[in-house]
Amino acid sequence: RRLGSAALDLTYVACGKMDAFYETQLNPWDIAAGTILVREAGGIVTDFSGNGDFVTKKQIIGSNGLLHGHVTDILRRHVPVE
């Protein structure tokens, strides 16, 4: 599901309405607030490789933490990781 705003998508992850969100080619201002909300809610935010370099790589996965490894594995198999 894509709501049109990365900030809103990450907010939905933070409040539990969505389990995970991923996207590419986002700018820092698209994800800054949502990243803080996900982390403060106990979730995880990384790039597609599972590292914290999601801003410069322009790849982001935000999740509730429970599914993060599964989402990362799926993306590694199906999306080129830079």
Side-chain angles (χ1 to χ4, degrees):
R1 177 179 293 191
R2 184 75 170 100
L3 301 174
S5 164
L8 183 58
D9 291 331
L10 288 167
T11 301
Y12 274 29
V13 171
C15 73
K17 290 186 178 188
M18 290 179 13
D19 294 325
F21 165 75
Y22 72 93
E23 187 63 72
T24 62
Q25 300 306 312
L26 295 172
N27 293 304
W29 53 85
D30 296 324
I31 57 174
T35 297
I36 292 169
L37 291 172
V38 170
R39 287 180 172 168
E40 289 295 316
I44 300 173
V45 180
T46 67
D47 62 15
F48 288 7
S49 298
N51 301 317
D53 194 24
F54 55 90
V55 174
T56 56
K57 284 191 173 181
K58 293 193 170 195
Q59 302 174 333
I60 189 168
I61 304 170
S63 77
N64 61 9
L66 300 174
L67 299 174
H68 203 82
H70 297 295
V71 175
T72 304
D73 289 342
I74 291 168
L75 288 172
R76 281 186 193 150
R77 286 190 303 241
H78 299 287
V79 178
V81 177
E82 299 173 7

